[in-house]
Amino acid sequence: LPLVLIDGMQILLKRADIIMIGAILGSDDAGIYSAASRISNFVVFGLMAINAILGPMISELYHTGCGRELQRIIMLASRAIFVFTLVVSIILAVSGKFMLSLFGSDYTIAFVPLLILLTGQVVNALAGSVGLIMTLTSHQNQAGAIIAVSTAANISLNALLIPLFGLAGAAISTAFTMALWNIVMFTFVQRRIGINSAIL
């Protein structure tokens, strides 16, 4: 059940900003913002690919008590995730206006929200695979609680910032709450599980 909650809340987190823009500003703005959101999600491919390899290794090493090897593997994975995320984010930031213009000339107004979302993704990458670590070390209940609180914070911030700052407000809300949940999970993983998932 906690894993179902985590997946559901993450889907809601990824879509809440688009839905709320549509409700507050209209479908045209939601479509424009959606393009920036989809482009920013390109950076997640590295995390997903590495997590697919890392998952079984975390489970085996943690439950067999190989703490030192587990720490080494997680740090290597964190560095790979961060480098991939940073490089792709820079490429997308440089080519962002061009990529948005492929959807139409009106879409270039989402360039600033795109930069904000990319910044949030880079901050997330600094924390490493914290969600995966928590769920594979029998801390899925705590992970579910953190995601649920972050989702509630995301919806509240969107409701507050979208009327004030438009598309940028939605991007700030999403980037902030993603960073918030990763920072909280990182702290939990370091203090309660004894694993440092950062790049250093």
Side-chain angles (χ1 to χ4, degrees), residues 22-23 43 72 89 93 109 125 130 141 149-150 157 159 180 185 188-189:
V43 302
R72 188 184 73 84
S89 294
I109 64 172
V130 284
N141 291 339
V149 171
S150 297
L157 282 173
L180 175 65
M185 284 188 176
F188 182 95
V189 166

Side-chain angles (χ1 to χ4, degrees), residues 28-80:
D28 289 343
D29 286 325
I32 292 171
Y33 180 85
S34 178
S37 179
R38 290 175 183 273
I39 291 172
S40 71
N41 284 333
F42 282 133
V43 302
V44 182
F45 289 150
L47 175 65
M48 293 173 62
I50 292 172
N51 279 354
I53 301 169
L54 189 63
M57 299 172 71
I58 291 175
S59 182
E60 179 183 356
L61 293 172
Y62 178 78
H63 292 288
T64 55
C66 300
R68 180 168 293 186
E69 180 65 12
L70 176 60
Q71 177 64 69
R72 188 184 73 84
I73 293 295
I74 287 175
M75 185 163 290
L76 289 174
S78 296
R79 289 173 179 172

